[in-house]
Amino acid sequence: MKRHFALGATLFVATVLTGLTAWAASSENTKKLDSQEEAFLRTAAQDDVFEIRLGEYAADHAALSETKQFGRQMATDHQADLKQIEQLAQDHGVDLKTHDNDLTPQQKTVYDRLTTRPGKDFDKEYTKLALAEHNRMISLYQRQRDHAADVDIREYAGKTVPSLEQHKQMATDTQKAAWGT
């Protein structure tokens, strides 16, 4: 009887310790972000959704093969980035359901305007917008890389800046092809 009690007590203590360890690990992963960091994740997710939607449209409807290829690359890269943002948000207890693969009203207006442009006009407008958007995103990510209080946000932003700079260069090259310069 004493032996069963000792075994039961040992199992109970082991279970409690395992639970405490798991709780500590999960609370470590759900560090609370400040409002600016949460806003950054929401904005970054929304930007990715916009880039994915525009890239998919460009891949199917652009006039030039360079613009189609650029659109495919943007859709692919920003889809991968969106998954990273969603994981980072989940790790920090941030609900991103508000982005829900929908465009903001401003993005919807731009998307609707762009997608009504015929042929090369679309290519020109899309590459011009992609260049401007990537310039804006680079600044946003650099600010987070340099000033975010959360180490995970700083690391994510820092490792993403080079790919955004590469996208900017791709947009510049594709814009030259679209504008014939």
Side-chain angles (χ1 to χ4, degrees):
M1 184 68 131
K2 288 183 181 180
R3 189 169 157 205
H4 285 115
F5 177 76
L7 180 61
T10 302
L11 286 174
F12 174 77
V13 170
T15 302
V16 168
L17 288 176
T18 301
L20 286 174
T21 303
W23 175 80
S26 70
S27 67
E28 177 79 18
N29 284 342
T30 56
K31 296 177 276 184
K32 196 73 175 145
L33 300 178
D34 67 29
S35 61
Q36 289 180 336
E37 292 164 338
E38 283 190 32
F40 166 70
L41 288 178
R42 285 182 187 10
T43 299
Q46 200 63 55
D47 287 345
D48 278 339
V49 169
F50 188 47
E51 290 292 332
I52 292 163
R53 297 271 304 272
L54 279 172
E56 289 171 345
Y57 183 86
D60 292 337
H61 296 92
L64 298 172
S65 63
E66 294 92 340
T67 310
K68 288 181 179 199
Q69 182 179 346
F70 175 69
R72 269 191 295 281
Q73 191 67 53
M74 291 305 97
T76 300
D77 290 356
H78 285 278
Q79 185 65 50
D81 189 65
L82 181 58
K83 287 181 183 183
Q84 290 179 19
I85 292 168
E86 289 171 338
Q87 184 62 55
L88 191 58
Q90 182 181 355
D91 290 349
H92 287 78
V94 176
D95 180 13
L96 290 181
K97 288 192 193 274
T98 55
H99 85 78
D100 200 28
N101 290 326
D102 289 331
L103 302 177
T104 66
Q106 299 86 353
Q107 289 170 333
K108 176 118 176 67
T109 298
V110 171
Y111 181 86
D112 289 345
R113 181 180 51 79
L114 257 173
T115 57
T116 61
R117 298 286 193 253
K120 278 193 105 174
D121 289 344
F122 169 80
D123 291 34
K124 290 177 180 180
E125 293 279 332
Y126 172 56
T127 57
K128 180 180 176 183
L129 176 68
L131 185 57
E133 283 295 298
H134 282 88
N135 277 327
R136 183 186 59 76
M137 286 188 280
I138 289 167
S139 294
L140 176 68
Y141 277 70
Q142 286 173 332
R143 273 194 310 277
Q144 291 301 313
R145 177 196 64 198
D146 297 341
H147 302 293
D150 184 80
V151 113
D152 295 334
I153 298 290
R154 282 195 318 266
E155 287 176 1
Y156 161 73
K159 76 175 185 163
T160 305
V161 167
S163 66
L164 292 172
E165 289 171 338
Q166 182 182 19
H167 288 178
K168 177 184 168 184
Q169 184 59 52
M170 291 168 64
T172 300
D173 295 344
T174 308
Q175 184 180 37
K176 287 177 185 174
W179 288 83
T181 59

